[in-house]
Amino acid sequence: MLRLGRREFGPHEPVIMAIVNRTPDSFYDQGATFRDEPALARVEQAVAEGAAIIDIGGVKAGPGDEVTAEEEARRTVGFVAEVRRRFPDVVISVDTWRAEVGEAVCEAGADLLNDAWGGVDPALAEVAARYGAGLVCTHAGGSEPRTRPHRVTYDDVVADILRVTVGLAERAVRLGVPRESVLIDPGHDFGKSTRHSLEATRRLGEMVETGWPVLVSLSNKDFVGETLDRPVKERVLGTLATTAVSAWLGAQVYRVHEVAETRQVLDMVASIAGHRPPAVARRGLV
């Protein structure tokens, strides 16, 4: 059982985490949800389309202008509080690597801290434990936040992913984070080449076999673009194909831009796997 905020999710229940970037320079939407009103409209639409988790980020993942902890908090804390007020049952996640920001957003009502940079600030897990919040433990290959990989190598990328993510998850539980609220993430693109991310996808079942729920953040990423030689705005089909493979291999949480399309893919895979009945089953019966 995965438990986040007020919600519980069964072992075969795929969960959508919708991305809401509170940044003026996000790689995909170029700041479309930087202002409050469009961001709140995005939350409302994502929930209506089937997202159970809203992931709020205040700093662009890639290189760019410096964003201090104070500015990151200014972009996220008040927004978290407003989403909590308007959507009391939605799971609120915040994408941050900074403990001080984690503390502020948990005070405002966040249920989950999405540490995409692999524990670069060890105190973030302590914050999650103190507030009873969930934690995403990600493999970033030891990269510093907001840096791009350069000629990174692994003897076995999946072995390294398992070592790091399981280690972070076990540490989080020792600190007091509820075990049922800890997820592991292979960190596609983070500290990885395209071939590394493809191998991580191909061998995702090895992460699932650890028993920790697996989150994948695949949406429109560079490994999809490079694999198909497509720019950012033409990566949806590749993302959905990767989503279907990940679902078949047992990933549970999907961090996405396109919620409705992802919902259909996940429902179809769940039905093929026998975990979900067809919405309608008339063919050959009437």
Side-chain angles (χ1 to χ4, degrees), residues 39-144:
L40 288 166
R42 161 70 175 160
V43 173
E44 185 173 8
Q45 178 185 10
V47 171
E49 291 177 345
I53 307 172
I54 301 297
D55 190 49
I56 299 163
V59 184
K60 176 184 176 181
D65 294 340
E66 180 186 1
V67 180
T68 64
E70 292 76 16
E71 174 61 17
E72 183 184 358
R74 189 191 69 78
R75 295 175 179 182
T76 55
V77 174
F79 188 73
V80 167
E82 184 62 16
V83 173
R84 178 83 295 149
R85 186 184 72 81
R86 296 195 188 193
F87 303 91
D89 295 324
V90 78
V91 178
I92 299 177
S93 169
V94 175
D95 181 351
T96 186
W97 74 88
R98 292 166 163 148
E100 61 265 50
V101 175
E103 183 111 25
V105 296
C106 284
E107 281 283 347
D111 305 299
L112 178 65
L113 297 176
N114 181 10
D115 182 8
W117 291 101
V120 69
D121 184 347
L124 188 64
E126 299 170 16
V127 171
R130 191 156 58 248
Y131 284 88
L135 184 69
V136 180
C137 301
T138 307
H139 180 272
S143 301
E144 288 294 315

Side-chain angles (χ1 to χ4, degrees), residues 178-189:
R179 193 199 187 285
E180 64 273 17
S181 303
V182 177
L183 305 98
I184 59 174
D185 177 355
H188 288 79
D189 274 0

Side-chain angles (χ1 to χ4, degrees), residues 66-255:
E66 180 186 1
V67 180
T68 64
E70 292 76 16
E71 174 61 17
E72 183 184 358
R74 189 191 69 78
R75 295 175 179 182
T76 55
V77 174
F79 188 73
V80 167
E82 184 62 16
V83 173
R84 178 83 295 149
R85 186 184 72 81
R86 296 195 188 193
F87 303 91
D89 295 324
V90 78
V91 178
I92 299 177
S93 169
V94 175
D95 181 351
T96 186
W97 74 88
R98 292 166 163 148
E100 61 265 50
V101 175
E103 183 111 25
V105 296
C106 284
E107 281 283 347
D111 305 299
L112 178 65
L113 297 176
N114 181 10
D115 182 8
W117 291 101
V120 69
D121 184 347
L124 188 64
E126 299 170 16
V127 171
R130 191 156 58 248
Y131 284 88
L135 184 69
V136 180
C137 301
T138 307
H139 180 272
S143 301
E144 288 294 315
R146 309 193 67 195
T147 61
R148 298 195 188 281
H150 179 69
R151 299 191 181 279
V152 62
T153 60
Y154 301 95
D155 291 334
D156 182 329
V157 66
V158 175
D160 203 71
I161 288 170
L162 292 172
R163 176 185 64 81
V164 170
T165 58
V166 171
L168 290 169
E170 290 175 344
R171 174 181 181 268
V173 172
R174 288 195 302 271
L175 289 169
V177 181
R179 193 199 187 285
E180 64 273 17
S181 303
V182 177
L183 305 98
I184 59 174
D185 177 355
H188 288 79
D189 274 0
F190 282 54
K192 297 172 189 68
S193 69
T194 288
R195 287 185 174 87
H196 292 143
S197 292
L198 291 172
E199 183 172 356
T201 306
R202 186 164 58 249
R203 296 172 58 188
L204 198 65
E206 295 176 44
M207 292 191 75
V208 174
E209 287 170 4
T210 66
W212 298 97
V214 175
L215 179 151
V216 287
S217 183
L218 312 168
S219 195
N220 303 294
K221 283 196 167 179
D222 285 348
F223 83 96
V224 174
E226 288 193 357
T227 298
L228 301 176
D229 193 17
R230 289 289 184 267
V232 169
K233 294 296 183 180
E234 296 178 18
R235 298 176 183 176
V236 175
L237 290 178
T239 297
L240 294 176
T242 313
T243 298
V245 171
S246 300
W248 187 256
L249 292 174
Q252 185 166 14
V253 180
Y254 301 81
R255 182 177 181 272

